[in-house]
Amino acid sequence: MSTNRSPEIRKDAVHNRWVIFSPARARRPSDFKAKSDPNSNSKSQTECPFCAGHEHECAPEIFRVPLDSTSEWKIRVIQNLYPALSRELEYPNSESNSGPASVAGFGFHDVVIESPAHPVHLTDLSPVQIAEVLLAYRKRIDQLRAFDSIKYVQVFKNHGASAGASMSHSHSQIMALPVVPPTASSRIQSMKDFFKETGKCALCQVKQDDLLIDESSHFFSIVPYAATFPFEIWIIPRDHSCHFHEINDDKAIDLGGFLKLMLVKMSLQLNNPPYNFMIHTAPLQVDSEDLPFTHWFLQLVPQLTVMGGFEMGTGCYINPVFPEDAAKVLREVRVPN
């Protein structure tokens, strides 16, 4: 058991950061559970602006699935009513050279409503329906690629109030930025360094039996060797691929089923925790020499711990569960048919 192991400091070769594993600070790995239902405060709510019939309460629609649907839509992609960035601003061709670096807050902030029904969550959808959500991401990214000033697109989902969700209706978000964010640039630099040292892609090399959770036709899932958070999951394409938006329909269906399996395993084992998932992809304008070491993946993080002053001050996280133990626990979760 983890509690018999000494603390260990591991290097995350993908993000270029150190993680402290300190099992003495925790219970047994199998005892980790979320404290409460992430949507406990909204169980009595049956309708909201994201529900079918309330479209007029939302910000403007970008597109829906199916495209020719009227009231019988499955997915809607809309502008965020309270965007972090403004699509109305003009983005300058260059940054200001005087004073601290700053640029206009230009960008796009969209919402993907994953179902017209309020009680339905991502895990309630079929693999094909989840694939339709993934393909809506792909379509929107393809639209955003037409803007030369957009350098990076971040797809993410917050599930549960403590994971940052302001609406309980199942949805995810897409933000298109005029800059490459620091997490992405440091990840790419770290993977470049790994490639220079080994001649290999860091993510093509991470599949270890003791870290593996499961596999599908086109993807595999692991708890990473230096997982930042307890029971963190990475879903990684088997084939080397730089950009999420290059996913084809068949792989999207495979990923839909595999993502659902990981979410259900996590929910069953950890008592339906609040969670975040993020799709980590390459910048839109990637140099050809960067293609061999950039590899997209989906990061799934259950919210089980709280970041404190040590993490904020050092950028070094403390994880109370060794990845090998978390992977074993998740491997052994039996999902009902």
Side-chain angles (χ1 to χ4, degrees):
M1 287 196 326
S2 275
T3 49
N4 295 327
R5 296 175 68 174
S6 299
E8 189 175 322
I9 305 175
R10 294 184 178 183
K11 177 73 173 292
D12 179 349
V14 173
H15 292 105
N16 190 31
R17 60 188 174 210
W18 293 94
V19 180
I20 298 172
F21 291 91
S22 185
R25 295 166 61 89
R27 306 169 289 270
R28 292 179 301 173
S30 58
D31 290 340
F32 260 82
K33 306 288 180 185
K35 292 181 180 178
S36 61
D37 186 310
N39 298 301
S40 58
N41 294 331
S42 59
K43 284 185 174 179
S44 60
Q45 188 178 11
T46 57
E47 291 190 3
C48 75
F50 287 176
C51 293
H54 293 259
E55 294 83 357
H56 62 284
E57 299 176 35
C58 295
E61 179 178 302
I62 299 166
F63 66 85
R64 59 176 59 189
V65 180
L67 291 176
D68 58 354
S69 60
T70 52
S71 59
E72 297 298 320
W73 54 270
K74 298 179 182 178
I75 299 164
R76 287 210 313 140
V77 179
I78 65 172
Q79 297 180 23
N80 194 310
L81 193 60
Y82 305 102
L85 297 167
S86 173
R87 67 194 73 212
E88 308 300 330
L89 293 175
E90 288 189 17
Y91 185 74
N93 293 325
S94 60
E95 296 181 13
S96 172
N97 293 323
S98 60
S102 69
V103 295
F106 166 78
F108 296 83
H109 190 175
D110 304 327
V111 175
V112 180
I113 304 171
E114 299 158 354
S115 165
H118 194 87
V120 174
H121 292 290
L122 205 58
T123 48
D124 299 317
L125 301 179
S126 70
V128 171
Q129 289 172 320
I130 297 175
E132 289 178 326
V133 174
L134 298 170
L135 292 172
Y137 299 161
R138 183 186 73 181
K139 177 175 179 175
R140 184 56 181 150
I141 295 170
D142 279 336
Q143 293 175 343
L144 293 165
R145 289 168 59 207
F147 295 87
D148 291 338
S149 54
I150 294 301
K151 301 296 188 290
Y152 194 84
V153 178
Q154 180 66 64
V155 176
F156 63 99
K157 178 177 175 67
N158 304 329
H159 172 75
S162 60
S166 57
M167 300 279 285
S168 59
H169 192 124
S170 190
H171 69 286
S172 37
Q173 299 180 62
I174 301 173
M175 288 189 68
L177 308 172
V179 296
V180 178
T183 297
S185 57
S186 64
R187 166 171 50 87
I188 292 161
Q189 182 60 51
S190 182
M191 294 179 76
K192 183 177 183 177
D193 294 342
F194 183 90
F195 183 77
K196 282 182 177 180
E197 292 174 13
T198 66
K200 298 175 181 178
C201 165
L203 281 175
C204 289
Q205 303 302 308
V206 297
K207 187 178 167 185
Q208 299 175 212
D209 287 345
D210 56 349
L211 299 174
L212 186 69
I213 303 170
D214 212 328
E215 301 178 85
S216 71
S217 298
H218 299 288
F219 299 89
F220 63 93
S221 60
I222 61 166
V223 178
Y225 171 76
T228 305
F229 306 100
F231 292 91
E232 173 183 350
I233 299 170
W234 290 6
I235 298 176
I236 303 170
R238 288 178 180 272
D239 298 329
H240 185 81
S241 176
C242 300
H243 288 110
F244 166 79
H245 65 256
E246 295 171 345
I247 193 170
N248 63 31
D249 291 10
D250 288 341
K251 289 182 179 179
I253 292 172
D254 186 47
L255 180 56
F258 199 54
L259 174 58
K260 176 171 181 169
L261 176 63
M262 292 302 104
L263 288 170
V264 171
K265 277 179 172 279
M266 185 180 72
S267 179
L268 289 172
Q269 177 60 40
L270 304 175
N271 190 31
N272 188 23
Y275 68 82
N276 306 94
F277 78 57
M278 296 70 66
I279 296 176
H280 299 289
T281 187
L284 294 179
Q285 292 92 18
V286 63
D287 294 332
S288 58
E289 59 264 28
D290 294 342
L291 297 177
F293 57 79
T294 51
H295 193 143
W296 76 265
F297 67 102
L298 188 152
Q299 179 188 21
L300 176 58
V301 179
Q303 292 296 330
L304 301 169
T305 56
V306 177
M307 185 170 68
F310 175 78
E311 289 84 356
M312 293 181 192
T314 63
C316 183
Y317 288 76
I318 300 175
N319 187 338
V321 182
F322 272 96
E324 296 83 356
D325 295 328
K328 183 176 187 295
V329 169
L330 290 169
R331 258 197 317 272
E332 294 176 352
V333 174
R334 294 291 172 254
V335 175
N337 294 327

